[in-house]
Amino acid sequence: MRIKSHTAAPAAAFALGIFFAVPGSVATNTVVSTVAPLVAAAIGNLGFMSPAMGEPAALTKKQSDALNTYNNARSNFESILGQRRAQINSNQRLPNLPGQALYLARNNMMSAYKDLTDALPSRIGRPNKYGIPPAYFSADNEPLLDEYRRLFDLMQAPPANAQNSDTPFKDVVDLGTAIARARGLDAANAEAAGRISLGLFFAETNGNQNIGNARSNKYKGSLQTGVPEDQNGRRKWAAIKKSIAAFDPALNARDDKEEARAGNQDHRYNHWTAVRDGLMNAHADIFPQVPAIVKKLPDPIDQMKLFELIQIIPSPTRSALGSRNLVDYRISDPKIMAYLRNNSVFTFGQADRAKTSATYREILDAMWLFNEKFERALSKFDEIKKQSKG
């Protein structure tokens, strides 16, 4: 998850996400662990490597500076994790946007590690369970990232009045597929639109419904939209509702039920209406291009990444889709590059941050922090298909 910037054009709000607002205090009676034991366990493996492990006996000043910067960034990340955990466990009032400091500290640690491995390639270690390129993240830091995720799960917890679904993943697929059919797609391409929609749900919320956002007071719910985007999506849904009722009366009946259930509450905290309105706001207009997108980007994960870019940088992505060569379309606007960096693309390390332009192929490749989420979305989509056939 992440904070989005939408100055470029109106769009639905989102990874890496990609983050959430929480009440003044967070109930944590179900979580009593502290970060200290796992940090201590991690530190033992994170220090300076001996020459026997492949590192030179004497470091250059550049290498030594990179090592010191990394050690300091890692220590700072540990410190902020511990501080936030202590606040939550003692039911202290959290600061506004409590996830922002965690997010920046994580990014600084990963950036410093990338600078270290650029200076000392011998520090590139084994693969990690998060699928992050080893040049950007040491597997020894997995416990820190585990705690990072646990803290966000607490800080982004849905409000007490949130209206959950018993079938949240299927809902996303069904809505994406129905919207695509209403926009004129055949069965195969509508299915692709449903699969892409599920990817967006994982990118925005890690597959969690009705969450808040610890890095923003604006974006909330299962597709991380702001109030204007949600209202725009509701208006667009009303315009196609009759056509959907004609070919899928069961889905229309479910929609009537959920609309009545949501009533006058914030529709972003009813999973069904939040997904429906989020997809209608930003993505329904792009669904007619799914056949061309699938042809240009046959990898399903690339397709999901492209639709996530409609969330992050909507106007340039629409321009790229309208160009003759999508993957070679180049972004050079400093503001757009800044939006990408704010969403964990070209964020980590001096070399990445120095980039002043990038093609869409380069942008898609740089979205590796989304890979794990989209892979889980694909797995869940396959499960849903098998259950439907059964």
Side-chain angles (χ1 to χ4, degrees), residues 202-230:
F202 274 85
E204 293 297 310
T205 71
N206 208 28
N208 298 309
Q209 56 181 317
N210 293 326
I211 59 176
N213 192 317
R215 292 184 56 220
S216 171
N217 292 323
K218 179 178 180 180
Y219 302 117
K220 305 178 187 297
S222 291
L223 224 60
Q224 291 293 286
T225 51
V227 171
E229 291 115 340
D230 180 73

Side-chain angles (χ1 to χ4, degrees), residues 101-118:
L102 288 174
Y103 174 75
L104 294 176
R106 182 207 67 167
N107 286 2
N108 287 339
M109 182 188 73
M110 292 176 62
S111 292
Y113 190 73
K114 180 58 166 60
D115 290 338
L116 175 61
T117 59
D118 283 346

Side-chain angles (χ1 to χ4, degrees), residues 14 301-302 304-309 312 340 343-346 360-372 374:
F14 136 179
I301 289 182
D302 276 348
M304 293 175 177
K305 288 179 179 178
L306 184 69
F307 271 78
E308 183 60 19
L309 288 171
I312 301 171
L340 290 171
N343 290 280
S344 298
V345 183
F346 304 127
Y360 263 74
R361 179 68 270 167
E362 290 171 331
I363 294 170
L364 294 172
D365 290 343
M367 293 175 71
W368 41 260
L369 208 56
F370 292 88
N371 287 348
E372 184 234 0
F374 289 148

